[in-house]
Amino acid sequence: MEGYVLKLATERKSIRAYSSEEISLSKVLYAIRAALQAPSGANQQPWSFIVIQDPKIKEEIRKACESGERRFYRMVRGGLREWLESKGLNWEKPFLIEAPYLIAVFAQLGKPFSIQSTWLAIGYLLLALEEVGLASLTYTPPNPSEISRILGAPRDMVLQTIIPVGKAKGEKKKEPRKDLEETTYLNRWGSPLVSVVKET
Amino acid sequence: MEGYVLKLATERKSIRAYSSEEISLSKVLYAIRAALQAPSGANQQPWSFIVIQDPKIKEEIRKACESGERRFYRMVRGGLREWLESKGLNWEKPFLIEAPYLIAVFAQLGKPFSIQSTWLAIGYLLLALEEVGLASLTYTPPNPSEISRILGAPRDMVLQTIIPVGKAKGEKKKEPRKDLEETTYLNRWGSPLVSVVKET
């Protein structure tokens, strides 16, 4: 089966528009089961997940996120602003109600490498979602503590991302990625892989 | 192929002892190719990789890491110290020379969600290494900037981890993981999944 992880990784793209098609909760839970197998600092498994399907809670989350986004979009400047505009992104986050499920992911403060471990597990989660045919987005609200409060999370659990999960609405191209040669060196910074890559 | 990502995730465990068996560089590069497909903040792809096979550089890295580890082990207290002792861990890091390859992973300062994105990509990397039959460990040295200097990395590239890659020496059990029910709620913090999990 060599080549399958690269295939999933390559086919997976961030999706911001979701159809109303229902999906099976068991597929979402399958992906979380994969994430739970990730390594973590001192095996502390500092992550928690909330799967949100209740439309009222999704609407509350959307309102809170969009109010944070309005503040953010008033302030953002420079290269990031240009990138957001070039992608047609703005403060509106309809995917937070359109996607049949949201997965809120938390990292527990005070655990070793808590944020790093949790995002590593999110990598597992995204590939497992792709495997079961589900689109996703790692959406990071500008006001995570407001969302944590809505969800009733304890204060030491820090919201890392809200991942909408469902079927993509319409077509979308994957944003291009850099090549191996642009990102990877051999033995020392700046020493190209070229000679060895040709063998592979 | 549903079930394959969970299988890889479940079978993959952190390995600290490596055999001297040679492995193909192309397999290591395969896994980095998968990591390069990960999503990132504003698609900035803030990661860089150095694949280290030169024994002299590995030895330099080992020495620098072990000197940082000696300082760390003199200071560490509490639950983390107990955990380290229970696992028989100390300042010695022979895997840094025993593994045929090390992958140094960097995150670029100043990019949006740079650390989060890079660790998400590390999640992709670990699953792809497992797929091609390679053992790994996300080792985080206590003195990353010293290692960056040895590798000649620019100052805005922050070393996140050094991943030894190779074949495991001997047998090792995977550390246990928490269950879905211990880590995942439905709609709100504390609201159990139980009723829906039974359907799946």
Side-chain angles (χ1 to χ4, degrees), chain A residues 1-12 14 25-27 29-30 32-54 57 60 80 83 101 106 108 112-113 115-117 119-124 126-128 131-132 138 140-141 149-154 157 160 174-190 193 196-197 199-200, chain B residues 1-12 14 25-27 29-30 32-54 57 60 80 83 101 106 108 112-113 115-117 119-124 126-128 131-132 138 140-141 149-154 157 160 174-190 193 196-197 199-200:
Chain A
M1 263 319 293
E2 206 163 307
Y4 188 65
V5 171
L6 178 58
K7 179 175 178 285
L8 288 177
T10 304
E11 289 176 356
R12 194 262 165 205
S14 296
L25 176 60
S26 66
K27 293 191 174 192
L29 299 180
Y30 166 80
I32 295 176
R33 282 196 182 95
L36 294 178
Q37 292 295 323
S40 58
N43 194 32
Q44 287 293 295
Q45 308 165 63
W47 42 63
S48 295
F49 303 86
I50 305 179
V51 178
I52 301 150
Q53 55 176 184
D54 183 325
I57 299 178
E60 261 191 276
L80 184 55
W83 181 85
Y101 294 99
F106 297 84
Q108 191 171 5
F113 301 102
I115 288 172
Q116 291 88 338
S117 306
W119 283 87
L120 193 162
I122 292 168
Y124 279 36
L126 296 190
L127 287 180
E131 183 189 25
V132 296
T138 48
T140 46
R149 215 173 307 132
I150 290 170
L151 293 170
M157 301 298 313
Q160 299 298 310
K174 179 158 175 155
E175 295 286 321
R177 297 292 193 268
K178 293 180 206 162
D179 293 336
L180 191 60
E181 293 75 7
E182 293 172 81
T183 53
T184 308
Y185 301 114
L186 187 66
N187 289 318
R188 280 181 62 81
W189 189 273
L193 270 178
V196 290
V197 170
E199 298 164 20
T200 69
Chain B
M1 263 318 292
E2 206 162 309
Y4 188 64
V5 170
L6 178 58
K7 180 175 177 286
L8 288 177
T10 304
E11 289 176 356
R12 192 263 164 204
S14 296
L25 177 59
S26 66
K27 291 192 174 189
L29 299 181
Y30 166 80
I32 295 177
R33 281 196 183 95
L36 295 178
Q37 292 296 323
S40 57
N43 194 31
Q44 289 292 295
Q45 306 164 66
W47 41 64
S48 295
F49 303 86
I50 305 180
V51 178
I52 301 150
Q53 53 175 186
D54 183 326
I57 300 179
E60 261 191 274
L80 183 54
W83 182 85
Y101 294 99
F106 297 84
Q108 191 171 6
F113 300 102
I115 288 172
Q116 292 88 337
S117 305
W119 282 88
L120 193 161
I122 292 168
Y124 279 37
L126 297 190
L127 288 180
E131 183 188 23
V132 296
T138 48
T140 46
R149 217 175 304 131
I150 290 169
L151 293 170
M157 301 298 313
Q160 299 298 310
K174 178 159 176 155
E175 295 286 322
R177 297 292 192 270
K178 292 180 207 163
D179 293 336
L180 191 60
E181 294 74 8
E182 294 172 82
T183 53
T184 308
Y185 301 113
L186 188 65
N187 288 318
R188 280 182 63 82
W189 189 274
L193 271 178
V196 291
V197 170
E199 297 164 21
T200 69

Side-chain angles (χ1 to χ4, degrees), chain A residues 73 76 78-90:
Chain A
Y73 273 84
V76 65
L80 184 55
R81 179 173 202 109
E82 281 166 35
W83 181 85
L84 292 164
E85 283 175 356
S86 76
K87 298 296 162 200
L89 297 176
N90 61 34

